[in-house]
Amino acid sequence: DDARIAELLVAREPDEGPDAAVDRLLTAALEAGGADNVSVVLVRGEYRGAASIISEVDEQTRERGLSAMSPELDDTRPRV
């Protein structure tokens, strides 16, 4: 369940790397009965607010110009 997964993801030591969390998740899956084809993918993401993403896209559009856009979008303009 989600609470158990969250518990396994929390670092046990201050300098612990993501490999330790992957090992804990894998061990828990095997102990829960996953006898075959157990895979763990751990991705670290960073939240960025929509405003910063829109600003970045608009800046890239200004730098590259509208001609750099795909042909399907050649009549669109950046929107904020």
Side-chain angles (χ1 to χ4, degrees):
D1 72 50
D2 289 346
R4 178 67 177 138
I5 292 170
E7 177 185 317
L8 294 168
L9 289 174
V10 174
R12 305 289 195 265
E13 302 292 328
D15 60 346
E16 183 178 271
D19 290 345
V22 169
D23 290 342
R24 285 193 297 274
L25 288 167
L26 182 58
T27 300
L30 293 171
E31 289 174 352
D36 192 16
N37 294 326
V38 175
S39 299
V40 176
V41 177
L42 184 61
V43 177
R44 181 178 181 161
E46 178 181 322
Y47 174 78
R48 290 179 27 187
S52 68
I53 294 170
I54 290 170
S55 175
E56 182 179 312
V57 170
D58 285 349
E59 182 62 31
Q60 290 173 0
T61 301
R62 281 190 287 277
E63 288 173 4
R64 294 172 55 202
L66 293 175
S67 62
M69 298 177 113
S70 66
E72 299 84 30
L73 301 175
D74 65 357
D75 64 339
T76 61
R77 302 292 182 260
R79 293 174 178 80
V80 178

